[in-house]
Amino acid sequence: VAGLELDFMRSPVYFKESDLEAGREIMTGFVRRIRELLNEWGEKRGKHLSLCVRVPCTLAWCDKVGLDVALWDREKLIDMVNVSSYFISSPYLELKEYKEIAPNSAVYGEMHFIIDKTTLINGFTNNCTRKTTKEMYRALASTFLDQGADGLSFFNFDYARPHFFNEPRRYRLKDGQPPHHALQGITDPKALAAYDKHY
């Protein structure tokens, strides 16, 4: 492997509010330990093993859950910051702010496979979603790159496929394949400028 990503967005509550300062130190100790392990294994393999952290879309949210990304960057514990809006695609990521507090790390803007979720008439809610279109992916990519993102991240990109195999409550949900063709030229600002976009 080239490295690891620590996903701090799966369930982003780690400490009671009263324990937040102690929790912040605990979390930084955890990240330090992972960096030490990666350094040990990297030395054995003769290569640098990168460490990415998937973190909330705002610095205030990071602070609220005890993630000190600025310190991790200063100590060079991390190589990449994956800025996430959690589960639904959003153009509102604090990419510029992360670039300022983490100048030693690559900052990526994360996109998700859905832009909204809903409930069917029968009350069924499991993965009832509006999928991100290729035009939306391109619009988000253009926005993130304009804000200085070093790269793009695609969370659950393959989930546009139907994964529920004849689940009868999903008969109204005709999920297709992921829009693979949207990836062509998606990091090229000139190509993005020429594509239709769906905001």
Side-chain angles (χ1 to χ4, degrees), residues 72-122:
W72 302 347
D73 181 78
R74 281 197 306 275
E75 293 191 11
K76 298 190 177 171
L77 304 178
I78 58 176
D79 302 282
M80 176 181 163
V81 179
N82 191 6
V83 183
S84 170
S85 56
Y86 189 50
F87 184 64
I88 294 175
S89 281
S90 170
Y92 304 111
L93 309 182
E94 291 186 353
L95 297 171
K96 289 180 181 177
E97 291 82 353
Y98 274 102
K99 293 283 288 179
E100 289 174 8
I101 66 141
N104 300 308
S105 302
V107 174
Y108 278 52
E110 184 177 274
M111 296 178 266
H112 297 259
F113 76 112
I114 65 171
I115 60 155
D116 202 1
K117 55 185 178 178
T118 188
T119 303
L120 296 186
I121 288 173
N122 62 6

Side-chain angles (χ1 to χ4, degrees), residues 124-198:
F124 183 59
T125 61
N126 187 19
N127 278 294
C128 300
T129 56
R130 182 177 179 195
K131 302 297 188 270
T132 305
T133 66
K134 71 175 189 266
E135 292 84 5
M136 290 172 183
Y137 275 117
R138 289 168 176 166
L140 287 164
S142 184
T143 298
F144 295 163
L145 294 173
D146 283 348
Q147 293 178 45
D150 296 299
L152 306 170
S153 172
F154 298 83
F155 188 80
N156 282 353
F157 186 71
D158 61 324
Y159 271 40
R161 292 189 177 99
H163 284 275
F164 293 85
F165 308 110
N166 300 314
E167 157 73 72
R169 293 171 295 181
R170 292 179 58 85
Y171 77 96
R172 294 178 188 272
L173 305 175
K174 305 299 183 188
D175 297 344
Q177 291 294 316
H180 293 108
H181 49 287
L183 301 179
Q184 187 172 8
I186 201 157
T187 57
D188 179 354
K190 288 182 181 177
L192 290 171
Y195 289 135
D196 287 337
K197 298 174 191 68
H198 182 184

Side-chain angles (χ1 to χ4, degrees), residues 16-46:
K16 294 178 183 175
E17 195 171 335
S18 58
D19 299 331
L20 192 56
E21 285 310 310
R24 198 181 320 278
E25 292 181 20
I26 289 168
M27 196 63 83
T28 294
F30 171 68
V31 175
R32 279 192 194 112
R33 182 65 184 131
I34 299 299
R35 177 73 268 161
E36 289 167 5
L37 289 169
L38 287 173
N39 289 346
E40 290 170 20
W41 279 99
E43 192 173 336
K44 290 175 186 175
R45 296 180 180 182

